[in-house]
Amino acid sequence: MEALAMKDSAISQNGTERTLYPYVTGTSVIGMKYKDGIIMAADTGGSYGSTLRYKSLERIKSIGKHSLLGASGEISDFQELLRYLDELVLYDNMWDDGNSLGPKEVHNYLTRVMYNRRNKFNPLWNSLVLGGVKNGQKYLGMVSMIGTHFEDNHVATGFGNHLARPILRAEWREDLSFEEAVKLMEKCLLVLLYRDRSAINKFQIAKITEEGVTISQPYALKTHWGFSAFQNPSKGAEGSW
Amino acid sequence: MALRRDWVYENNGGSALNLPISFPFQFIDTTCVAIAGSDYCVIAADTRLSVGYSIYTRDYSKICKLAEKCVMATSGFQGDMKALQKNLAARHLIYQHQHNKQISCPAMAQLLSNTLYYKRFFPYYTFNILGGLDNDGKGCVFTYDAVGSYERVGYSAQGSGAGLIIPVLDNQLKSPSPLLLPAKDAVTPLSEVEAVDLVKDVFASATERDIYTGDKVEIVVINASGIRRELMELRKD
């Protein structure tokens, strides 16, 4: 047991520790721009490997006055990032000069943080979605755990990249109303719910506009499992499983 | 267990080989091309940002204007690409403060080489091409590997599509051997319009066969009158 622990542990002779792999993880986050701002959604689950350990995690938080941050990956690293950002916003407020950090600035800061942690071989194991509106300008970007970053009209992390982005590429438009954006978002979330095993049926949708941030209460989507093929599973082979 | 090699250089292309170390022997994504002419320089790169088999975005520029007459195109790991561009842009600002002028392309070429070699033992995983006008107003192209070895050439291609493009450029541009004496000029006799057309053609061809090349190609042309930029659509599959 000790031998295994020593092999797995990152504690070497000089006593340093660094992240090797994630433990409690959140699954996809999806974000898209719509007419008045940004809309972002994530489920509220935290998995410990294949166990669903936490069912009420808030994986989308507001940063300063103009940004929303959604994270997938290691939850404790997300919490660490929130501490970094708290300090950043605090120092920004202390200038007391009427200026405030916009989403572009926060995205750049996060990119630098993630990249530099990766350079020290001690990454924050997250994929982040950063969205916001400042002075009428909408901004939506993503940062991965090694510092790969970009901005686009719609972004997604993890499985969302494979399942949600194709839907968004086909159906996203510049001038979506809030209701249309929510419908499109729920379409993506439903596909993820059916096909991502670490997704749970409890979502929060957050929106940010020039006026401010709203993060919804958690709610569930209607799913349909009444397919005839599910009715009698052993129909084709009686006695088998 | 997520081994160190799996994530440190995730590098926008995934890993084809399973080496115990994560050094530049993996898939390189994106394609960059540059051609030097007698009084112009064309630099081009596609705008697709891909990671593994996914496309993150179709609209990511890999070309960075470092100085008035000096533009860099980069392929490879995007995190390092951005860090390198920021590093050089900052160094150029300091240069301008100290020398009260824009840096020349050959000087920036040396600076890029030194910056890359500085991280010889944890490299910037980037494959760069620097293009611009030299001090005589002639087009110049410098091509690099990940750790800073560089050479001035008449044309170059880097990235995943380079293997598809360089043979075509060799055939069309017929650059004289650098071993000839007296030294013959490497810049192409083609006109600017012909060179831009050639670049569009090679990108269209590379897009057909390389999965990491496509979406759009951003073409930047530097000549005596300044810098001009155009975008051309490519296949999105």
Side-chain angles (χ1 to χ4, degrees):
Chain A
M1 275 304 277
E2 283 76 39
L4 252 167
M6 280 311 286
K7 182 168 82 87
D8 277 3
S9 162
I11 302 174
S12 62
Q13 279 80 357
N14 50 357
T16 49
E17 287 183 4
R18 45 185 188 79
T19 305
L20 290 176
Y21 27 75
Y23 286 92
V24 179
T25 54
T27 184
S28 334
V29 178
I30 318 173
M32 73 173 96
K33 289 185 188 169
Y34 74 104
K35 197 165 57 147
D36 306 319
I38 312 289
I39 185 175
M40 203 184 289
D43 68 18
T44 61
S47 312
Y48 184 61
S50 51
T51 311
L52 179 59
R53 176 68 182 82
Y54 301 102
K55 297 195 230 182
S56 299
L57 289 176
E58 260 206 46
R59 295 195 290 117
I60 304 182
K61 296 280 186 193
S62 74
I63 310 293
K65 290 209 289 269
H66 303 284
S67 317
L68 269 180
L69 172 65
S72 67
E74 171 64 57
I75 299 299
S76 62
D77 282 345
F78 176 47
Q79 291 168 344
E80 179 78 358
L81 265 169
L82 291 175
R83 278 193 282 274
Y84 280 156
L85 287 166
D86 268 345
E87 188 182 1
L88 183 75
V89 170
L90 179 68
Y91 276 96
D92 186 45
N93 286 342
M94 284 190 348
W95 284 109
D96 199 22
D97 58 0
N99 227 339
S100 50
L101 287 170
K104 224 181 178 106
E105 288 86 60
V106 178
H107 186 226
N108 190 52
Y109 175 78
L110 287 171
T111 307
R112 289 300 108 219
V113 167
M114 301 302 269
Y115 179 71
N116 280 299
R117 288 288 298 250
R118 166 259 184 199
N119 281 352
K120 294 196 268 212
F121 291 96
N122 185 15
L124 289 162
W125 208 287
N126 294 108
S127 287
L128 306 168
V129 173
L130 197 297
V133 192
K134 189 174 173 203
N135 297 335
Q137 295 274 48
K138 298 180 283 224
Y139 185 89
L140 181 61
M142 203 197 91
V143 193
S144 81
M145 70 183 251
I146 53 172
T148 304
H149 60 282
F150 63 95
E151 60 153 316
D152 208 340
N153 295 320
H154 44 77
V155 300
T157 68
F159 263 101
N161 237 325
H162 296 100
L163 298 172
R165 293 290 307 271
I167 301 177
L168 293 168
R169 284 208 174 102
E171 299 187 20
W172 181 88
R173 282 178 354 254
E174 186 73 53
D175 54 352
L176 288 167
S177 72
F178 179 63
E179 290 72 30
E180 291 172 320
V182 171
K183 263 192 76 188
L184 184 53
M185 188 65 93
E186 287 184 345
K187 187 171 181 178
C188 297
L189 290 172
L190 199 56
V191 172
L192 284 170
L193 183 59
Y194 282 134
R195 291 294 179 178
D196 178 6
R197 76 154 188 194
S198 31
I200 62 168
N201 197 0
K202 191 176 170 196
F203 304 98
Q204 281 184 303
I205 295 199
K207 87 166 200 277
I208 182 166
T209 62
E210 196 72 55
E211 280 79 52
V213 173
T214 320
I215 304 184
S216 75
Q217 284 302 307
Y219 71 102
L221 292 174
K222 266 210 191 46
T223 55
H224 176 69
W225 298 97
F227 296 101
S228 57
F230 293 163
Q231 297 315 355
N232 190 5
S234 56
K235 184 165 72 174
E238 291 290 337
S240 81
W241 41 285
Chain B
M1 177 178 163
L3 297 154
R4 187 201 279 192
R5 68 165 185 267
D6 292 335
W7 57 264
V8 174
Y9 280 107
E10 176 202 270
N11 92 243
N12 309 353
S15 168
L17 312 165
N18 278 315
L19 290 181
I21 47 161
S22 45
F23 270 94
F25 302 131
Q26 299 168 345
F27 269 140
I28 321 160
D29 85 322
T30 281
T31 304
C32 309
V33 168
I35 302 179
S38 52
D39 63 347
Y40 67 88
C41 183
V42 185
I43 304 103
D46 72 333
T47 62
R48 172 176 287 180
L49 183 66
S50 40
V51 174
Y53 285 116
S54 290
I55 299 177
Y56 271 176
T57 186
R58 300 189 190 276
D59 213 352
Y60 189 81
S61 169
K62 292 155 191 128
I63 299 186
C64 175
K65 177 183 161 187
L66 294 172
E68 271 311 315
K69 303 280 183 216
C70 187
V71 162
M72 179 170 85
T74 314
S75 65
F77 170 40
Q78 193 238 19
D80 282 341
M81 180 197 303
K82 197 67 193 208
L84 182 63
Q85 287 174 351
K86 278 180 176 247
N87 196 332
L88 292 173
R91 292 298 302 273
H92 181 224
L93 196 56
I94 297 171
Y95 181 97
Q96 286 180 291
H97 289 150
Q98 290 174 340
H99 300 267
N100 196 20
K101 67 180 176 107
Q102 292 277 321
I103 194 170
S104 70
C105 200
M108 179 55 91
Q110 186 66 54
L111 178 60
L112 174 53
S113 171
N114 291 350
T115 307
L116 290 169
Y117 196 80
Y118 199 74
K119 281 190 25 106
R120 169 68 177 79
F121 300 110
F122 182 21
Y124 286 112
Y125 186 38
T126 54
F127 298 88
N128 305 287
I129 311 182
L130 199 70
L133 301 177
D134 66 10
N135 292 316
D136 305 318
K138 280 221 304 264
C140 61
V141 169
F142 298 90
T143 188
Y144 295 78
D145 73 356
V147 285
S149 62
Y150 78 112
E151 181 186 19
R152 180 170 176 175
V153 288
Y155 59 89
S156 174
Q158 292 277 11
S160 52
L164 298 164
I165 291 181
I166 289 193
V168 177
L169 294 181
D170 284 340
N171 176 272
Q172 292 295 307
L173 298 175
K174 288 192 175 59
S175 198
S177 165
L179 300 167
L180 279 175
L181 283 172
K184 252 205 171 152
D185 213 353
V187 299
T188 175
L190 283 182
S191 77
E192 185 183 305
V193 180
E194 289 173 318
V196 171
D197 275 347
L198 178 59
V199 164
K200 289 180 179 174
D201 275 341
V202 293
F203 263 96
S205 309
T207 304
E208 293 289 317
R209 293 289 182 173
D210 177 30
I211 60 173
Y212 298 113
T213 305
D215 293 331
K216 286 196 268 275
V217 55
E218 183 186 3
I219 305 174
V220 170
V221 182
I222 308 181
N223 53 27
S225 40
I227 301 188
R228 184 184 97 233
R229 183 176 166 262
E230 67 178 277
L231 284 166
M232 182 183 91
E233 294 288 326
L234 294 171
R235 283 181 68 149
K236 303 193 182 316
D237 62 359

